[in-house]
Amino acid sequence: MLDIPEQLAALRRLAIKDQARIVGAASAAELSAWRSYFPYLYGYARGGSRTLLWEIEDDAVCLYILRPRNGMLRLDLYLAPFPFSARALRHAQDRANDFNRSSSCEIVWVEEAQRPAIESLGFRTQLRESEYIYDARQVRSMDGPSFARLRRNVGKAQRISDVSLRDYQAQDEVACLALLRNWRDALRDGKGVDVKSHTYMSRCVRNAFAFDGDLLRGTVALVDERVVGFCFGGRMGQSLGNLFVCVSNHNMPLLGYLLRQDFVARSEGIARFNDASDAGREGVALVKRAFNPVAMLPLYRAR
């Protein structure tokens, strides 16, 4: 794990114990980005080549990313301070610029709703990607012609011989991690896709019971009692959920439709779900468009 330099000793590495403070601040700020979901942030922070650090300034969370760049460690803001504070942003910008010995602090992820305030403080923003937002009620019912492909593919997945779904259990960990490795290897070796998400996905599985309340839950798909797919997600805010991780056996691609639809359908009290971006992969986009997104959430980089 990346060591924290003495110059940044006042900052805390993001940890499981921080979830109430971080989740509370994100909810108060009404953050909607998939990348602001705490289980993702925790998994990302535990990466070997980078980490996430945080502090409180002006009652806002300043969340930084520390990573190597050009042979040196570099500090930037991972998200804009939340709930947003111009004073906190200036403080965080000064801290990063002092550490980097430059005036080049950037904010890695900025939501559309934050963009005017960020730009008013002199930052320039550039679109990076857009995330898919689903209406949970519509996905639950799958009514109408716009859901024809989803109904068809969910039906086909349900007819896989002996397939069943149940809640994730602790004894599923080894099988899920093995499936995840096989899924990564199939994408890397068969399609040349560098699956950088493998690290935080594996930490999701390993820490599935470490999060509070309905922040994270999981479903597994079984065929003859063998794990062939799994889906994890949970609540981000009062009415927003997150479809965090969905992986299936590469020989059963339609399971992804079934796992996502079932997860949303069984998430009571959540009106909308964020299913992240498609990472520029047409196959992923094809799956997500079948859920008839009601919005696309643009995310920006600010410099």
Side-chain angles (χ1 to χ4, degrees):
M1 186 179 297
L2 194 64
D3 292 331
I4 301 176
E6 182 63 31
Q7 187 179 346
L8 302 178
L11 303 181
R12 289 169 278 185
R13 194 193 307 269
L14 196 71
I16 288 284
K17 65 182 180 180
D18 302 323
Q19 59 187 292
R21 184 68 178 89
I22 302 299
V23 171
S27 180
E30 298 183 339
L31 297 185
S32 300
W34 183 91
R35 292 179 183 273
S36 65
Y37 180 52
F38 185 82
Y40 165 76
L41 294 173
Y42 171 74
Y44 190 82
R46 314 309 285 184
S49 61
R50 83 269 159 163
T51 195
L52 298 180
L53 308 172
W54 69 286
E55 65 177 336
I56 300 295
E57 176 67 24
D58 195 31
D59 294 324
V61 173
C62 298
L63 184 64
Y64 304 88
I65 179 170
L66 180 68
R67 56 191 167 174
R69 285 290 172 89
N70 301 319
M72 301 176 62
L73 286 178
R74 177 180 171 86
L75 187 72
D76 288 297
L77 271 167
Y78 193 69
L79 303 173
F82 55 97
F84 183 75
S85 158
R87 176 180 167 183
L89 178 55
R90 289 303 189 202
H91 165 84
Q93 187 179 19
D94 289 343
R95 180 184 287 283
N97 286 341
D98 286 347
F99 181 80
N100 299 331
R101 298 181 182 179
S102 72
S103 57
S104 59
C105 173
E106 68 177 46
I107 310 173
V108 178
W109 298 105
V110 174
E111 294 190 27
E112 178 66 49
Q114 302 167 326
R115 192 157 65 112
I118 299 297
E119 290 182 339
S120 73
L121 294 172
F123 284 85
R124 294 181 179 180
T125 58
Q126 180 181 15
L127 180 67
R128 295 193 64 183
E129 63 184 29
S130 294
E131 297 176 341
Y132 291 73
I133 308 295
Y134 307 147
D135 182 295
R137 180 188 59 80
Q138 293 180 8
V139 172
R140 186 176 296 115
S141 67
M142 297 189 289
D143 289 338
S146 59
F147 284 94
R149 187 160 60 88
L150 181 59
R151 287 196 303 273
R152 182 172 62 251
N153 288 337
V154 166
K156 288 180 179 178
Q158 289 172 329
R159 290 192 293 273
I160 295 173
S161 180
D162 295 322
V163 69
S164 63
L165 303 182
R166 64 159 168 77
D167 291 343
Y168 174 82
Q169 300 172 3
Q171 60 264 32
D172 298 323
E173 178 179 325
V174 172
C176 285
L177 290 173
L179 177 64
L180 180 59
R181 287 192 298 271
N182 291 338
W183 172 83
R184 175 200 60 190
D185 294 346
L187 284 174
R188 182 191 60 202
D189 301 338
K191 298 182 179 180
V193 176
D194 181 12
V195 187
K196 297 178 181 179
S197 57
H198 176 265
T199 299
Y200 71 74
M201 287 180 167
S202 63
R203 289 195 171 90
C204 167
V205 174
R206 290 190 174 99
N207 295 280
F209 299 105
F211 301 98
D212 296 337
D214 56 359
L215 193 59
L216 187 75
R217 68 174 179 86
T219 301
V220 294
L222 306 172
V223 171
D224 293 330
E225 299 304 313
R226 177 172 58 93
V227 174
V228 293
F230 59 87
C231 183
F232 283 92
R235 188 182 294 274
M236 290 183 65
Q238 184 174 0
S239 60
L240 180 67
N242 186 295
L243 278 170
F244 182 34
V245 174
C246 189
V247 170
S248 59
N249 186 303
H250 66 276
N251 293 320
M252 301 177 183
L254 296 182
L255 273 179
Y257 293 92
L258 176 59
L259 282 162
R260 281 182 169 88
Q261 194 277 334
D262 175 81
F263 193 94
V264 172
R266 295 196 298 116
S267 297
E268 296 295 330
I270 298 179
R272 290 190 171 193
F273 268 87
N274 187 324
D275 195 17
S277 74
D278 55 37
R281 293 166 53 199
E282 182 55 33
V284 176
L286 185 67
V287 172
K288 297 186 178 187
R289 287 196 294 265
F291 288 78
N292 195 28
V294 293
M296 298 296 293
L297 178 68
L299 296 179
Y300 301 84
R301 183 191 303 275
R303 290 187 169 101

